[in-house]
Amino acid sequence: MGSNDCGGASFNVPRQYGVTKPLSTAGPTEADLQRNMELEKLLVDAGLYENKEEVVLREEVLGQLDQIVKSWVKQLTRQRGYTDQMVEDANAVIYTFGSYRLGVHGPGSDIDTLCVGPSYVSREEDFFIILHKILEDMEEVTELQPVPDAHVPVMKFRFRGISIDLLYASISLLVVPEDLDISSGSVLYDVDEPTVRSLNGCRVADQILRLVPNVENFRTTLRCLKFWAKRRGVYSNVTGFLGGVNWALLVARVCQLYPNAVPSMLVSRFFRVYTQWRWPNPVMLCPIEEEDLGFPVWDPRRNPRDRTHHMPIITPAYPCMNSSYNVSTSTLRVMMEQFQNGNKICEEIELSKASWSALFEPYFFFETYKNYLQIDIVATDADDLRIWKGWVESRLRQLTLKIERDTYGMLQCHPYPHDYVDASRQCSHCAFFMGLQRKPGERVQEGQQFDIRATVEEFRHSVNMYMFWRPGMEISVSHVRRKQIPSFVFPEGYKHSRPARLPLAGKVFAENAENGTLEYEGGSSLRRQRKRKNDADACDAESSRPEKRQSVGPNNSSTQAAVEEPDEHPKQEQESTSQSINGNSGLERKQCNGGAASRSIDSAVDSRENTCQKNGSRLGTLSNDVMESEGQVCCCRTSKVTGIESQGSFRVNSCHHTIGPKLLENEKGSRSRLLQSGLESKPDTVIVEAHGGVSSDPVQKPVIRLSLTSTA
């Protein structure tokens, strides 16, 4: 095959690896070798290498799996009336790819495997039905999960505790030879595109190992960069970042550019190269070549869709594809920021101003943004949650893209590729989070809103189209502020207090008479001081005069309440004790299987929120005094609300939430009424709830409408 020879000729010195000449052929200095020893020691101490017992176990599992698929194919051959000789010759072969094939897997890593079978054994029936049944009946197999409708159809399971991702490819041969060369182009004759995608995992892994100058240096560097990416929250292909094959291709290209460098040098060069890389220029290990088989290859000159890719990383095996098509503008921005941070640290390491441990400091995601989306996923049991979570996680990228689309790129999203579990819930639960911020450098009008309710509802609707949906599988999307991040996301169960900032000179703290919170006036800028004074003076005057606000989003409604992003210097706030109100005085909260609990809302809000809510921003389903006190009960469900009874109780699927009287009493003693008529007339209307606080007490639930001011 043509692409096998793209490593370049060997008669020139230095040898050219890839599509360009090396940037440098320099070898390591004594200082480089010393830093390399320190780096390798850190990787060992971090537990990135598996022990001998796990190595042996993996080999045994692969051997058993190979025997299972061989027996399965022989059984099918006999049942279909083939001759005894055909039954004897019938065969299937197991190949590995991914991190295991590249030699960079660690303890607990899964094994990406491919089963290659004869032409008469199908994927749809024989693999996903008959082989699935065989595996299901085995005691060694647990957590069996078929995913036939995936872009690359896969069967996931654990075999003797080892996680396995098993693909299947039926090639155009009646008998599969044991020594089949899967890198040969002949295996692609007369097969469909899902089969090509299944075969390409192994073909790409083999090509990568052929195209790097030094395999061991490549492996150590890749192991290091994967560890770094996981620590910094940018390792996840499904959520729009980069997965294992993407990082392998990026590292392999750096190895080609610096063929004589050791891992410590390659890590530093990695950040130097990709900090300066001009995306969307593609990263390629060899020229893109076309065969006569007719499969499409990545070519932005011919394919308009390829022109929309933000970070093209091209696979080296035919048909060459962009392995990073999931990357969005938001996730590319996050990765570029992390590349720049890594480059800065590596420069300090080379100057002996920092150690390697500084490079692998964890990313403090929940300290980075002021606004977040919380995506809660619940199911009736752990098995249902595993299936449901996998589907929802695969759709999170769509939520990022929809928000970028509906806000014209002005609201940036940072999906975090880690899930968190609230153990206090009675139902099986996990949650994902997204950071939100206004695009830096964009000039916006004061009070400009980002209304993403319709965007979230569109996302939920697409998620609920899951063909394997079961009762109890639910999803809710909530807006939370940094101060409201739930406690279960922190390892110790509580949020570490941030270092207190010293008040600026001339800053005066005073109690706000309206909501009981502490505010300050003054500061380093006279303009800021006057602005805050004017805002305070305008509260009463503006409450009687509606103010028109510009809304950025799919729905430009004049009846919208705003949730503002805090100022750059947040106000000092007095913590209010949120308490559940039982009986006739509020909302009784109940946990149930398959549903997120509705919670009462009693907490103080800042004066800026109250000002916005008084300026004519109203939600049709809530009365004015509810909006002023933020005493909202906002629920997000996966299915239609079947009805709201006169007593205020309603049912969603199997969950029963009892709402007390329609009057909610806030801390000031004012009574606010929840108008049920609006919700009854539009049962499909969803107001996204907000989970907050660092304790389990009920908290504020503002609507997802972000009003990011110019001071944010």
Side-chain angles (χ1 to χ4, degrees), residues 592-636:
C592 56
N593 288 333
S598 295
R599 290 175 282 188
S600 68
I601 304 160
D602 288 311
S603 64
V605 294
D606 8 75
S607 59
R608 293 179 67 87
E609 291 180 56
N610 286 330
T611 301
C612 291
Q613 292 149 10
K614 290 180 180 181
N615 287 341
S617 300
R618 298 291 182 264
L619 188 66
T621 58
L622 300 178
S623 64
N624 294 351
D625 50 351
V626 170
M627 297 303 298
E628 292 175 6
S629 64
E630 285 288 315
Q632 307 171 13
V633 180
C634 305
C635 302
C636 180

CSV table of all heavy atoms in Angstrom, one decimal, residues 592-636:
chain,number,residue,atom,x,y,z
A,592,CYS,N,-36.6,10.0,45.0
A,592,CYS,CA,-37.3,8.9,44.4
A,592,CYS,C,-36.4,8.3,43.4
A,592,CYS,O,-35.5,8.9,42.9
A,592,CYS,CB,-38.6,9.4,43.9
A,592,CYS,SG,-38.4,10.7,42.7
A,593,ASN,N,-36.7,7.1,42.9
A,593,ASN,CA,-36.0,6.5,41.9
A,593,ASN,C,-36.3,7.1,40.6
A,593,ASN,O,-37.5,7.3,40.2
A,593,ASN,CB,-36.3,5.0,41.8
A,593,ASN,CG,-35.7,4.3,43.0
A,593,ASN,OD1,-34.7,4.7,43.5
A,593,ASN,ND2,-36.3,3.1,43.4
A,594,GLY,N,-35.3,7.5,39.8
A,594,GLY,CA,-35.5,8.0,38.5
A,594,GLY,C,-35.9,9.4,38.4
A,594,GLY,O,-36.4,9.9,37.4
A,595,GLY,N,-35.8,10.2,39.4
A,595,GLY,CA,-36.2,11.6,39.3
A,595,GLY,C,-35.4,12.5,40.1
A,595,GLY,O,-35.0,12.2,41.2
A,596,ALA,N,-35.1,13.7,39.6
A,596,ALA,CA,-34.4,14.7,40.4
A,596,ALA,C,-35.4,15.4,41.4
A,596,ALA,O,-36.5,15.6,41.0
A,596,ALA,CB,-33.8,15.8,39.5
A,597,ALA,N,-35.0,15.6,42.6
A,597,ALA,CA,-36.0,16.1,43.6
A,597,ALA,C,-36.2,17.6,43.4
A,597,ALA,O,-35.2,18.4,43.2
A,597,ALA,CB,-35.4,15.9,45.0
A,598,SER,N,-37.4,18.1,43.5
A,598,SER,CA,-37.7,19.5,43.6
A,598,SER,C,-37.4,20.0,45.0
A,598,SER,O,-37.6,19.3,45.9
A,598,SER,CB,-39.2,19.7,43.3
A,598,SER,OG,-39.5,19.3,42.0
A,599,ARG,N,-36.8,21.2,45.0
A,599,ARG,CA,-36.4,21.7,46.3
A,599,ARG,C,-36.9,23.1,46.5
A,599,ARG,O,-37.1,23.9,45.6
A,599,ARG,CB,-34.9,21.8,46.3
A,599,ARG,CG,-34.3,20.4,46.4
A,599,ARG,CD,-32.8,20.5,46.3
A,599,ARG,NE,-32.4,20.7,44.9
A,599,ARG,CZ,-31.1,20.6,44.5
A,599,ARG,NH1,-30.2,20.4,45.3
A,599,ARG,NH2,-30.8,20.8,43.2
A,600,SER,N,-37.2,23.5,47.8
A,600,SER,CA,-37.6,24.8,48.1
A,600,SER,C,-36.5,25.8,48.0
A,600,SER,O,-35.3,25.4,48.0
A,600,SER,CB,-38.2,24.8,49.5
A,600,SER,OG,-37.1,24.7,50.4
A,601,ILE,N,-36.9,27.0,47.8
A,601,ILE,CA,-35.9,28.1,47.6
A,601,ILE,C,-36.1,29.2,48.5
A,601,ILE,O,-37.1,29.9,48.5
A,601,ILE,CB,-36.0,28.6,46.1
A,601,ILE,CG1,-35.9,27.4,45.2
A,601,ILE,CG2,-35.0,29.6,45.8
A,601,ILE,CD1,-36.5,27.7,43.9
A,602,ASP,N,-35.1,29.3,49.4
A,602,ASP,CA,-35.1,30.4,50.4
A,602,ASP,C,-33.7,30.9,50.6
A,602,ASP,O,-33.0,30.3,51.4
A,602,ASP,CB,-35.7,29.9,51.7
A,602,ASP,CG,-37.2,29.7,51.7
A,602,ASP,OD1,-37.9,30.6,51.2
A,602,ASP,OD2,-37.7,28.7,52.1
A,603,SER,N,-33.3,31.9,49.9
A,603,SER,CA,-31.9,32.4,50.1
A,603,SER,C,-31.9,33.8,49.6
A,603,SER,O,-32.6,34.2,48.7
A,603,SER,CB,-30.9,31.5,49.4
A,603,SER,OG,-31.1,31.6,48.0
A,604,ALA,N,-30.9,34.6,50.1
A,604,ALA,CA,-30.8,36.0,49.7
A,604,ALA,C,-30.1,36.0,48.4
A,604,ALA,O,-29.3,35.2,48.1
A,604,ALA,CB,-30.0,36.7,50.8
A,605,VAL,N,-30.4,37.0,47.6
A,605,VAL,CA,-29.8,37.2,46.3
A,605,VAL,C,-29.2,38.6,46.3
A,605,VAL,O,-29.6,39.5,47.1
A,605,VAL,CB,-30.8,37.1,45.2
A,605,VAL,CG1,-31.4,35.7,45.1
A,605,VAL,CG2,-32.0,38.1,45.4
A,606,ASP,N,-28.2,38.9,45.3
A,606,ASP,CA,-27.7,40.2,45.4
A,606,ASP,C,-28.6,41.2,44.8
A,606,ASP,O,-29.5,40.9,44.1
A,606,ASP,CB,-26.3,40.3,44.6
A,606,ASP,CG,-25.9,39.1,43.9
A,606,ASP,OD1,-26.5,38.9,42.8
A,606,ASP,OD2,-24.9,38.5,44.2
A,607,SER,N,-28.3,42.4,45.1
A,607,SER,CA,-29.1,43.5,44.7
A,607,SER,C,-29.2,43.7,43.2
A,607,SER,O,-30.2,44.1,42.7
A,607,SER,CB,-28.6,44.8,45.3
A,607,SER,OG,-27.3,45.1,44.9
A,608,ARG,N,-28.1,43.3,42.5
A,608,ARG,CA,-28.1,43.4,41.1
A,608,ARG,C,-29.2,42.5,40.5
A,608,ARG,O,-29.8,42.8,39.5
A,608,ARG,CB,-26.7,43.1,40.5
A,608,ARG,CG,-25.7,44.2,40.9
A,608,ARG,CD,-24.4,43.8,40.3
A,608,ARG,NE,-24.4,43.9,38.9
A,608,ARG,CZ,-24.1,45.0,38.2
A,608,ARG,NH1,-23.9,46.1,38.8
A,608,ARG,NH2,-24.1,44.9,36.9
A,609,GLU,N,-29.3,41.3,41.0
A,609,GLU,CA,-30.3,40.3,40.5
A,609,GLU,C,-31.7,40.9,40.8
A,609,GLU,O,-32.6,40.8,39.9
A,609,GLU,CB,-30.2,39.0,41.2
A,609,GLU,CG,-28.9,38.2,40.8
A,609,GLU,CD,-28.8,36.9,41.5
A,609,GLU,OE1,-29.7,36.1,41.3
A,609,GLU,OE2,-27.8,36.7,42.1
A,610,ASN,N,-31.9,41.4,42.0
A,610,ASN,CA,-33.2,42.0,42.3
A,610,ASN,C,-33.6,43.1,41.3
A,610,ASN,O,-34.7,43.3,40.9
A,610,ASN,CB,-33.3,42.5,43.7
A,610,ASN,CG,-33.3,41.3,44.7
A,610,ASN,OD1,-33.8,40.3,44.4
A,610,ASN,ND2,-32.7,41.5,45.9
A,611,THR,N,-32.5,44.0,41.0
A,611,THR,CA,-32.8,45.1,40.1
A,611,THR,C,-33.2,44.6,38.8
A,611,THR,O,-34.2,45.1,38.2
A,611,THR,CB,-31.5,45.9,40.0
A,611,THR,OG1,-31.1,46.4,41.3
A,611,THR,CG2,-31.7,47.1,39.1
A,612,CYS,N,-32.5,43.5,38.3
A,612,CYS,CA,-32.9,43.0,37.0
A,612,CYS,C,-34.3,42.4,37.0
A,612,CYS,O,-35.1,42.6,36.0
A,612,CYS,CB,-31.9,41.9,36.6
A,612,CYS,SG,-30.3,42.5,36.2
A,613,GLN,N,-34.6,41.7,38.1
A,613,GLN,CA,-35.9,41.1,38.1
A,613,GLN,C,-37.1,42.1,38.2
A,613,GLN,O,-38.2,41.9,37.8
A,613,GLN,CB,-36.0,40.1,39.3
A,613,GLN,CG,-35.1,38.9,39.1
A,613,GLN,CD,-34.5,38.4,40.4
A,613,GLN,OE1,-35.0,38.8,41.5
A,613,GLN,NE2,-33.6,37.5,40.3
A,614,LYS,N,-36.7,43.3,38.8
A,614,LYS,CA,-37.8,44.3,39.0
A,614,LYS,C,-38.0,45.1,37.7
A,614,LYS,O,-39.0,45.8,37.5
A,614,LYS,CB,-37.4,45.3,40.1
A,614,LYS,CG,-37.5,44.6,41.5
A,614,LYS,CD,-37.1,45.6,42.5
A,614,LYS,CE,-37.2,45.0,43.9
A,614,LYS,NZ,-36.9,45.9,45.0
A,615,ASN,N,-37.0,45.1,36.8
A,615,ASN,CA,-37.1,45.9,35.6
A,615,ASN,C,-37.9,45.3,34.5
A,615,ASN,O,-37.6,45.2,33.4
A,615,ASN,CB,-35.7,46.1,35.0
A,615,ASN,CG,-34.9,47.1,35.9
A,615,ASN,OD1,-35.5,47.8,36.7
A,615,ASN,ND2,-33.6,47.1,35.8
A,616,GLY,N,-39.1,44.8,34.9
A,616,GLY,CA,-40.0,44.3,33.9
A,616,GLY,C,-39.6,42.9,33.4
A,616,GLY,O,-40.3,42.4,32.4
A,617,SER,N,-38.6,42.3,33.9
A,617,SER,CA,-38.2,40.9,33.4
A,617,SER,C,-39.0,39.9,34.1
A,617,SER,O,-38.7,39.6,35.3
A,617,SER,CB,-36.7,40.7,33.6
A,617,SER,OG,-36.0,41.7,32.9
A,618,ARG,N,-39.9,39.3,33.5
A,618,ARG,CA,-40.9,38.4,34.1
A,618,ARG,C,-41.0,37.1,33.3
A,618,ARG,O,-40.9,37.1,32.1
A,618,ARG,CB,-42.3,39.0,34.3
A,618,ARG,CG,-42.3,40.3,35.1
A,618,ARG,CD,-42.1,40.0,36.6
A,618,ARG,NE,-42.1,41.2,37.4
A,618,ARG,CZ,-41.1,41.9,37.8
A,618,ARG,NH1,-39.9,41.5,37.3
A,618,ARG,NH2,-41.2,42.9,38.5
A,619,LEU,N,-41.2,36.1,34.0
A,619,LEU,CA,-41.5,34.8,33.4
A,619,LEU,C,-43.0,34.5,33.4
A,619,LEU,O,-43.6,34.7,34.4
A,619,LEU,CB,-40.7,33.7,34.1
A,619,LEU,CG,-40.7,32.3,33.5
A,619,LEU,CD1,-40.0,32.4,32.1
A,619,LEU,CD2,-40.1,31.3,34.4
A,620,GLY,N,-43.6,34.1,32.3
A,620,GLY,CA,-45.0,34.0,32.2
A,620,GLY,C,-45.6,33.1,33.3
A,620,GLY,O,-46.8,33.2,33.6
A,621,THR,N,-44.9,32.1,33.7
A,621,THR,CA,-45.5,31.1,34.7
A,621,THR,C,-45.4,31.6,36.1
A,621,THR,O,-45.9,30.9,37.0
A,621,THR,CB,-44.8,29.8,34.5
A,621,THR,OG1,-43.4,29.9,34.7
A,621,THR,CG2,-45.0,29.2,33.1
A,622,LEU,N,-44.7,32.6,36.4
A,622,LEU,CA,-44.4,33.1,37.8
A,622,LEU,C,-45.0,34.5,38.0
A,622,LEU,O,-44.9,35.3,37.1
A,622,LEU,CB,-42.9,33.0,38.1
A,622,LEU,CG,-42.3,31.6,38.0
A,622,LEU,CD1,-40.8,31.8,38.3
A,622,LEU,CD2,-42.9,30.7,38.9
A,623,SER,N,-45.5,34.8,39.1
A,623,SER,CA,-45.9,36.1,39.4
A,623,SER,C,-44.8,37.0,39.7
A,623,SER,O,-43.7,36.6,39.9
A,623,SER,CB,-46.9,36.0,40.6
A,623,SER,OG,-46.2,35.6,41.8
A,624,ASN,N,-45.1,38.3,39.7
A,624,ASN,CA,-44.0,39.3,39.9
A,624,ASN,C,-43.3,39.2,41.2
A,624,ASN,O,-42.1,39.3,41.3
A,624,ASN,CB,-44.6,40.7,39.7
A,624,ASN,CG,-45.1,41.0,38.3
A,624,ASN,OD1,-44.9,40.2,37.4
A,624,ASN,ND2,-45.8,42.1,38.1
A,625,ASP,N,-44.1,39.0,42.3
A,625,ASP,CA,-43.4,38.9,43.6
A,625,ASP,C,-42.6,37.7,43.7
A,625,ASP,O,-41.7,37.6,44.5
A,625,ASP,CB,-44.5,39.0,44.7
A,625,ASP,CG,-45.6,38.0,44.5
A,625,ASP,OD1,-45.7,37.4,43.5
A,625,ASP,OD2,-46.4,37.9,45.5
A,626,VAL,N,-42.9,36.6,43.0
A,626,VAL,CA,-42.1,35.4,43.0
A,626,VAL,C,-40.7,35.8,42.4
A,626,VAL,O,-39.7,35.4,42.9
A,626,VAL,CB,-42.7,34.2,42.2
A,626,VAL,CG1,-41.7,33.1,42.1
A,626,VAL,CG2,-43.9,33.7,43.0
A,627,MET,N,-40.7,36.5,41.3
A,627,MET,CA,-39.5,36.8,40.6
A,627,MET,C,-38.7,37.7,41.5
A,627,MET,O,-37.4,37.7,41.5
A,627,MET,CB,-39.8,37.5,39.3
A,627,MET,CG,-40.5,36.6,38.3
A,627,MET,SD,-39.6,35.1,37.9
A,627,MET,CE,-38.1,35.8,37.3
A,628,GLU,N,-39.3,38.6,42.2
A,628,GLU,CA,-38.5,39.6,43.1
A,628,GLU,C,-37.8,38.9,44.2
A,628,GLU,O,-36.8,39.2,44.6
A,628,GLU,CB,-39.5,40.7,43.6
A,628,GLU,CG,-40.0,41.6,42.5
A,628,GLU,CD,-41.0,42.6,43.0
A,628,GLU,OE1,-41.2,42.6,44.2
A,628,GLU,OE2,-41.6,43.3,42.2
A,629,SER,N,-38.5,37.8,44.7
A,629,SER,CA,-37.9,37.1,45.9
A,629,SER,C,-37.1,35.9,45.5
A,629,SER,O,-36.5,35.3,46.3
A,629,SER,CB,-39.0,36.7,46.8
A,629,SER,OG,-39.8,35.8,46.2
A,630,GLU,N,-37.1,35.6,44.1
A,630,GLU,CA,-36.4,34.4,43.6
A,630,GLU,C,-37.0,33.2,44.3
A,630,GLU,O,-36.3,32.1,44.3
A,630,GLU,CB,-34.9,34.5,43.8
A,630,GLU,CG,-34.2,35.4,42.9
A,630,GLU,CD,-34.1,34.8,41.5
A,630,GLU,OE1,-33.8,33.6,41.4
A,630,GLU,OE2,-34.4,35.6,40.6
A,631,GLY,N,-38.2,33.2,44.7
A,631,GLY,CA,-38.8,32.0,45.3
A,631,GLY,C,-39.4,31.1,44.2
A,631,GLY,O,-40.6,31.1,44.1
A,632,GLN,N,-38.6,30.5,43.4
A,632,GLN,CA,-39.1,29.8,42.3
A,632,GLN,C,-39.0,28.3,42.5
A,632,GLN,O,-38.0,27.8,43.2
A,632,GLN,CB,-38.3,30.1,41.0
A,632,GLN,CG,-38.2,31.6,40.8
A,632,GLN,CD,-37.2,31.9,39.7
A,632,GLN,OE1,-36.8,31.0,39.0
A,632,GLN,NE2,-36.9,33.2,39.5
A,633,VAL,N,-39.9,27.5,41.9
A,633,VAL,CA,-39.7,26.1,41.9
A,633,VAL,C,-39.7,25.7,40.4
A,633,VAL,O,-40.7,25.7,39.7
A,633,VAL,CB,-40.9,25.4,42.6
A,633,VAL,CG1,-40.8,23.9,42.5
A,633,VAL,CG2,-41.1,25.8,44.0
A,634,CYS,N,-38.5,25.4,39.9
A,634,CYS,CA,-38.3,25.2,38.5
A,634,CYS,C,-37.8,23.8,38.3
A,634,CYS,O,-36.8,23.4,38.8
A,634,CYS,CB,-37.2,26.2,38.0
A,634,CYS,SG,-37.6,27.9,38.3
A,635,CYS,N,-38.5,23.1,37.5
A,635,CYS,CA,-38.2,21.6,37.4
A,635,CYS,C,-37.9,21.3,35.9
A,635,CYS,O,-38.6,21.8,35.0
A,635,CYS,CB,-39.4,20.8,37.9
A,635,CYS,SG,-39.8,21.1,39.6
A,636,CYS,N,-37.0,20.4,35.7
A,636,CYS,CA,-36.6,19.9,34.4
A,636,CYS,C,-36.8,18.4,34.4
A,636,CYS,O,-36.2,17.7,35.2
A,636,CYS,CB,-35.1,20.3,34.1
A,636,CYS,SG,-34.6,19.8,32.5
